[in-house]
Amino acid sequence: MSTALSAWTRRRLAERDAATVLASLRAWEPSAGCGWQLQAGDLGWALRFEPEIRDEQIRVWWDRHGSPAAVILCDQPSSARCAVNPTYLHDSSLAEAVLADLEQRLEGTVDGGPWIDPPPGPGALTRALLAAGFEPDPDIWLHMWRPLGGPLPVPSVAVAVREYRDGDLDARVAVQRAAFPGSSLTPERYRRLREVPGFRPELDLVAERDGTLTAFCLAWLGPPGGTALLEPAGTHPEYRRLGHARAVITEAFRRLAALGATGVAVLTPVSNRPAVGLYRSLDMSAVAERRSYWPAP
């Protein structure tokens, strides 16, 4: 299928459109499976930012009927993660419009780039990237997944796991900033995150020991009966390898299954061996490799 270039309109993501775009991302996922492109949880996590930052990071393309055709998340200055409406996955005109916009928007770096992560498979955007001289990035991200229909892992340590509470705000931000040095999370951004359409407070979990938050996991539901996403999960460095992350993620699995999710996914770099080991210990399997594309040297 090919449509005229004028069929596509890119405009900022207005507050009134956020629920529509998030619902579209969920609808684009297969009803059963392991997720396959930028997911609603990825965008939901990005919506914590102030409007002016969101306007730079989030690029939504709309079709002539006023429905989302593609959603692009530029969450780093030189990278973009892309989702395309399955109806237009092989539409070359949309792919060309998206690529032209991203080449103008993204910055290169001394290490190469920009990096563009298209939907997996031989879609029009991947073909457009190859035709423009892009090559697969050698750095691999693993798409890890597990079904939620059977027995759940057993936590290896007795640690209290509970939902986030209003009084946790500063401690919750602090534990994430400790887990991910350079994190941009602030109390105000966390408050904004909890107002994102589709955010489920019962899936915002923390582990606690002696009144101290030690680990966290935020989960996002996918399509009804489909795959959920962990984004993000982490542990304070002082409590790593003690089973705290395993406990909080296992509780997320339990709650997701109770809410009807049939599977759960997470993306992590293959080079992050501790994270890969943790997810494997939770019976998550690497079901696909995700690679960005960058300009050939």
Side-chain angles (χ1 to χ4, degrees), residues 158-160 162 207-214 239 244:
V159 59
R162 59 171 176 80
E208 182 181 40
R209 170 170 284 181
D210 299 328
T212 298
L213 300 193
T214 62
Y239 294 91
H244 293 222

Side-chain angles (χ1 to χ4, degrees), residues 146-155 246 249-258 264 281-283:
R146 66 157 286 156
L148 290 175
L152 295 178
V154 177
R246 181 181 178 87
I249 293 172
T250 298
E251 177 63 15
F253 289 171
R254 187 188 69 78
R255 294 184 181 215
L256 288 168
V264 59
S281 77
L282 291 162
D283 300 325

Side-chain angles (χ1 to χ4, degrees), residues 85-107:
N85 185 328
T87 301
Y88 305 123
L89 190 60
H90 299 288
D91 191 298
S92 58
S93 67
L94 176 61
E96 290 163 5
V98 168
L99 180 54
D101 179 63
L102 289 178
E103 287 185 306
Q104 183 177 27
R105 161 69 178 82
L106 298 177
E107 303 170 8

Side-chain angles (χ1 to χ4, degrees), residues 194-214:
R194 291 176 59 82
E195 297 174 356
V196 169
F199 178 92
R200 301 290 294 255
E202 67 269 39
L203 298 177
D204 186 5
L205 303 174
V206 296
E208 182 181 40
R209 170 170 284 181
D210 299 328
T212 298
L213 300 193
T214 62

Side-chain angles (χ1 to χ4, degrees), residues 49-291:
F49 285 109
E50 295 78 9
E52 60 272 17
I53 296 178
R54 296 202 307 265
D55 289 348
E56 285 295 314
Q57 289 191 347
I58 302 168
R59 307 173 91 72
V60 181
W61 290 82
W62 305 79
D63 66 15
R64 64 180 58 173
H65 306 293
S67 298
V71 180
I72 317 298
L73 177 59
C74 302
D75 51 356
Q76 300 293 331
S78 58
S79 68
R81 293 187 284 165
C82 309
V84 176
N85 185 328
T87 301
Y88 305 123
L89 190 60
H90 299 288
D91 191 298
S92 58
S93 67
L94 176 61
E96 290 163 5
V98 168
L99 180 54
D101 179 63
L102 289 178
E103 287 185 306
Q104 183 177 27
R105 161 69 178 82
L106 298 177
E107 303 170 8
T109 73
V110 294
D111 298 320
W115 289 269
I116 299 175
D117 183 7
L125 184 53
T126 298
R127 296 196 300 271
L129 286 163
L130 293 171
F134 283 69
E135 293 182 349
D137 186 344
D139 290 333
I140 301 170
W141 284 64
L142 291 182
H143 190 147
M144 305 191 72
W145 176 85
R146 66 157 286 156
L148 290 175
L152 295 178
V154 177
S156 57
V157 63
V159 59
V161 175
R162 59 171 176 80
E163 293 179 26
Y164 167 95
R165 301 170 185 158
D166 288 342
D168 293 331
L169 181 60
D170 289 340
R172 174 63 180 82
V173 170
V175 71
Q176 177 146 345
R177 292 178 69 92
F180 299 111
S183 169
S184 62
L185 193 62
T186 65
E188 182 56 37
R189 288 172 178 171
Y190 205 82
R191 291 190 191 96
R192 191 177 296 112
L193 170 72
R194 291 176 59 82
E195 297 174 356
V196 169
F199 178 92
R200 301 290 294 255
E202 67 269 39
L203 298 177
D204 186 5
L205 303 174
V206 296
E208 182 181 40
R209 170 170 284 181
D210 299 328
T212 298
L213 300 193
T214 62
F216 57 89
C217 178
L218 179 58
W220 303 83
L221 287 172
T227 288
L229 181 71
L230 305 181
E231 177 64 301
T235 309
H236 192 287
E238 294 180 6
Y239 294 91
R240 286 177 181 157
R241 303 184 185 276
L242 298 177
H244 293 222
R246 181 181 178 87
V248 75
I249 293 172
T250 298
E251 177 63 15
F253 289 171
R254 187 188 69 78
R255 294 184 181 215
L256 288 168
L259 289 168
T262 57
V264 59
V266 69
L267 280 172
T268 188
V270 70
S271 58
N272 189 346
R273 293 184 180 277
V276 173
L278 168 65
Y279 294 128
R280 288 194 186 281
S281 77
L282 291 162
D283 300 325
M284 301 188 80
S285 300
V287 295
E289 294 180 355
R290 296 294 305 272
R291 294 178 185 263

